[in-house]
Amino acid sequence: MLNASSRDWSLFPLRAARQAWRGVVDSLLPPQCMLCTATVDEPGRLCPACWPEVGFIAEPCCPTCGTPYAVPVPSGLVCGACLKEPPPFDGARAVFTYAGGGRDLVLRFKRADRTDLAPGLAAMMLTAGAALVRDCDAIVPVPLHRWRLWRRRFNQSALLAQALGRLSGKPVWLDLLERPKPTRSLGRLGRVERRRVLAGAIRIAEAYRDGVAGKRLLLVDDVLTTGATVGACSRVLRRNGAAAVTVLTLARVVRVEQGAI
């Protein structure tokens, strides 16, 4: 417990001012649900009506790729896909499935310029991936090519990584990975084609060449579809000596055959 002598009393006026300002803002513009216009107690929350619309992923799920199982299974059971072709990362988790309310949340954040949702979404990621965040040395966002960044005006993965870093206290290496090679949209491509398109598209920034070895790194992205993008990033980090690479995403695509055993 902190005693009076160990507290930083200089911060008290600043905290009081922030709390007062928050009260004024909330009285004028009450915080709303991230999915609808219902009033909630704090920003970055879902109302009771919208909560069931989001398909949150919980145990049991594959410890390697995070795919949820449709039936109860023994703890630690690896899914068939990971046994057949182990991914280049050590573990992955997502907050919810990319469907229904979860998909709406992602699109609102990513396509509708609702960057104000980042702190609330990152808080969900911290809950879902608590062990991954705890065990990492640094958080690394999946990069965008400069032209796509210019068109979109922000990197959604970087915003999530920054918010997650603020919540967890973990360092965020925003520019560790670069995407010097522009790639076509991966939305309609399969696993093999995605991997071919991404070949050579991601690299380590020169400033970090000697800083990756021995580090446990947490990759952050918005959606995990086939795993090709985070897989390409993981391979680059592994080749440069990373001790472990894990993945935390906001959502993941779950196909019928993936969610059942």
Side-chain angles (χ1 to χ4, degrees), residues 8-84:
D8 187 352
W9 294 98
S10 65
L11 295 178
F12 273 46
L14 179 59
R15 291 170 181 163
R18 286 176 176 170
Q19 291 174 352
W21 175 246
R22 168 74 182 277
V24 172
V25 172
D26 286 352
S27 64
L28 297 174
L29 298 170
Q32 294 181 337
C33 169
M34 289 193 289
L35 271 177
C36 72
T37 58
T39 300
V40 292
D41 56 349
E42 292 183 26
R45 298 291 181 89
L46 293 170
C47 70
C50 288
W51 186 271
E53 300 301 314
V54 178
F56 289 101
I57 296 175
E59 298 288 351
C61 59
C62 173
T64 302
C65 71
T67 296
Y69 291 124
V71 297
V73 298
S75 177
L77 181 68
V78 177
C79 73
C82 289
L83 288 173
K84 182 179 179 181

Side-chain angles (χ1 to χ4, degrees), residues 167-202:
L167 290 171
S168 65
K170 294 286 185 173
V172 180
W173 293 354
L174 284 177
D175 52 353
L176 170 64
L177 292 175
E178 298 176 333
R179 203 160 184 164
K181 175 184 172 182
T183 56
R184 56 182 290 197
S185 174
L186 304 179
R188 297 182 181 276
L189 303 181
R191 181 188 301 271
V192 175
E193 185 66 10
R194 284 173 181 241
R195 186 165 178 174
R196 185 190 67 78
V197 169
L198 286 166
I202 296 170

Side-chain angles (χ1 to χ4, degrees), residues 110-111 113 144-156 182-185:
K110 184 175 178 178
R111 305 293 187 190
D113 291 344
L144 283 181
H145 184 265
R146 62 181 180 276
W147 291 118
R148 185 165 294 178
L149 180 60
W150 179 79
R151 287 195 299 270
R152 188 174 293 167
R153 302 185 306 279
F154 63 90
N155 178 353
Q156 69 278 359
T183 56
R184 56 182 290 197
S185 174

Side-chain angles (χ1 to χ4, degrees), residues 218-243:
L218 175 63
L219 277 171
V220 167
D221 204 1
D222 57 340
V223 181
L224 191 155
T225 305
T226 66
T229 301
V230 294
C233 293
S234 299
R235 291 184 188 93
V236 169
L237 295 172
R238 285 292 201 183
R239 284 199 299 267
N240 283 268

